[in-house]
Amino acid sequence: MLYIGCHLSSVKGFEHMGKEAVRIGANTFQFFTRNPRGGGAKAIDPEDAKRFLTLAAENGFGKLVAHAPYTLNPCSATEKVRDFAFFAMEDDMKRMEYIPGNYYNFHPGSHVGQGTEQGIALIIELLNRIIKPEQQTTILLETMAGKGSEIGGRFEELKAIIDGVHHQDKIGVCLDTCHVSDAGYDIINDLDGVLAQFDSIIGLQKLCALHINDSLNPVGARKDRHAKIGEGHLGTETIVKVINHPKLKGLPCILETPNELDGYAKEIEMLRSAYK
């Protein structure tokens, strides 16, 4: 089964997002838990969440991927920024329990001159404050492009974070095709090799979701600029290989390409037709 969707606006609630997903042929989706460039969050309507869960069951939805705001930086050199990361993630974990059993993805952050080791230590500290054994949400570390002082551009960095988390069953990885290519992993010519490397360092059992994006930049550019499928350096053939790879089948595939809903619908239809 190909579980594929895109990023949807959460302004009108879960049920509305579910209906939008069905309309464009999706059976999963991603949404921001709160303002992506700020921090405010709309109150959750429990009845809306219940209606969505019914709709999702009726339409065979896969797991959803919630996304933390871009302003969240758990390894900032500034205490105030780290405090916001704690507040937002702690609140988001409570909010995610209205739709239990799904994923919460976040960018590990930028150490801003403190060094990778200190940045990783701060991320681990935050996660161990946030993660509770009873939560039903799995938190995902996103693979990053490695620009600037970003953490997560190397599999070893994500492994170090995971190793430091107390509740290992509550942590996983979301692999972004644009980011991982920009970080220097050649999924165009050696997808098998990249996945083998991921498996040897982190373990494929920790790979829970995929961000499906083409890239405006070549392998190793460390830029992070997404492109529509087939309009970047990865190309349609590479993306089709990703969704059809036997070690990746069944994972939710989230499109973050620069599209409106009609564009996403076309990409979803195209990738469904190429799924074997």
Side-chain angles (χ1 to χ4, degrees), residues 32 34-40 67-74 76 80-82 84-85 88 107 109:
F32 281 118
R34 55 189 62 237
N35 186 328
R37 301 293 181 185
H67 201 302
Y70 294 131
T71 48
L72 191 148
N73 185 4
S76 171
K80 183 178 179 181
V81 176
R82 297 198 303 272
F84 167 73
H107 294 178

Side-chain angles (χ1 to χ4, degrees), residues 143 154-159 180 185 194 197-198 201-202:
T143 60
R154 306 307 302 166
F155 295 157
E156 290 85 355
E157 294 169 7
L158 300 178
K159 170 64 170 173
V180 81
Y185 294 98
V194 172
Q197 193 174 357
F198 185 100
I201 296 169
I202 298 174

Side-chain angles (χ1 to χ4, degrees), residues 154-253:
R154 306 307 302 166
F155 295 157
E156 290 85 355
E157 294 169 7
L158 300 178
K159 170 64 170 173
I161 297 169
I162 292 169
D163 283 349
V165 172
H166 297 325
H167 299 291
Q168 292 277 304
D169 60 324
K170 308 297 183 185
I171 190 78
V173 174
C174 174
L175 187 147
D176 185 302
T177 55
C178 170
H179 293 177
V180 81
S181 174
D182 276 26
Y185 294 98
D186 189 1
I187 62 172
I188 300 170
N189 299 301
D190 192 19
L191 177 59
D192 285 337
V194 172
L195 292 179
Q197 193 174 357
F198 185 100
D199 192 31
S200 67
I201 296 169
I202 298 174
L204 282 169
Q205 73 277 6
K206 285 295 183 186
L207 183 52
C208 299
L210 302 170
H211 280 169
I212 302 296
N213 305 298
D214 211 325
S215 175
L216 288 177
N217 296 286
V219 176
R222 298 181 183 271
K223 294 286 188 181
D224 184 10
R225 293 186 65 200
H226 297 191
K228 295 177 181 178
I229 305 303
E231 296 185 12
H233 285 266
L234 294 181
T236 303
E237 183 179 351
T238 296
I239 298 301
V240 169
K241 285 180 182 178
V242 168
I243 65 169
N244 280 299
H245 198 284
K247 293 182 178 178
L248 302 178
K249 284 195 169 185
L251 300 182
C253 298

Side-chain angles (χ1 to χ4, degrees), residues 56-124:
E58 291 173 348
N59 288 277
F61 274 41
K63 289 183 180 291
L64 307 186
V65 181
H67 201 302
Y70 294 131
T71 48
L72 191 148
N73 185 4
C75 61
S76 171
T78 305
E79 185 176 5
K80 183 178 179 181
V81 176
R82 297 198 303 272
D83 286 345
F84 167 73
F86 173 77
F87 159 77
M89 289 185 73
E90 183 181 50
D91 187 49
D92 284 346
M93 288 304 98
K94 296 173 184 175
R95 296 163 63 83
M96 288 297 292
E97 291 304 296
Y98 286 97
I99 51 166
N102 289 297
Y103 297 133
Y104 177 86
N105 178 67
F106 79 105
H107 294 178
S110 297
H111 62 72
V112 200
Q114 300 176 94
T116 300
E117 187 175 337
Q118 175 63 9
I120 288 172
L122 289 170
I123 296 166
I124 292 170

